[in-house]
Amino acid sequence: MFEVGRECRKLTKEMIHKKSPAESDYSKVNDECLGVKLKEAALEKEYYEKFKKILSPEKLYIYRRAEYKFARSFMKGPDDKKDENMNK
């Protein structure tokens, strides 16, 4: 997944540093990033099919849920975790 998104991240970073990007630059970045999302979805489906062969539906559900929770907590960052722990 990381490798698939590399070109999109690279183009996005270049756009930030351009003084006056052209419409074609924006189109290129948008097209590349949309392509990345499609590739990621295809990879996710491929892995889902492989996991389905070795995991029970319940375990597959638990895995996907854990992956989702991890991504959300990772995106929150350390400051949000401190606030969350203080509210407990």
Side-chain angles (χ1 to χ4, degrees):
M1 290 283 207
F2 182 80
E3 290 297 322
V4 170
R6 182 173 290 191
E7 186 65 21
C8 176
R9 288 188 302 277
K10 178 183 157 203
L11 290 172
T12 301
K13 197 179 282 188
E14 288 173 4
M15 285 292 290
I16 292 169
H17 298 294
K18 284 191 177 188
K19 296 204 187 270
S20 55
E23 281 191 35
S24 61
D25 294 328
Y26 287 113
S27 292
K28 183 178 179 182
V29 172
N30 290 332
D31 291 344
E32 181 64 34
C33 292
L34 180 60
V36 164
K37 287 187 179 202
L38 293 171
K39 289 175 189 175
E40 286 176 345
L43 273 173
E44 190 172 336
K45 183 175 181 180
E46 179 184 330
Y47 278 105
Y48 173 75
E49 294 299 326
K50 288 179 180 181
F51 288 155
K52 203 163 68 168
K53 292 177 183 175
I54 58 172
L55 295 174
S56 70
E58 180 185 7
K59 287 182 180 178
L60 186 54
Y61 171 79
I62 291 168
Y63 162 75
R64 294 187 69 226
R65 190 164 170 236
E67 190 175 59
Y68 173 77
K69 281 183 174 183
F70 172 78
R72 286 195 43 91
S73 69
F74 182 77
M75 295 303 275
K76 280 184 177 180
D79 292 338
D80 292 338
K81 289 178 187 172
K82 287 179 189 173
D83 293 340
E84 192 175 291
N85 288 335
M86 291 176 77
N87 291 335
K88 286 185 178 180

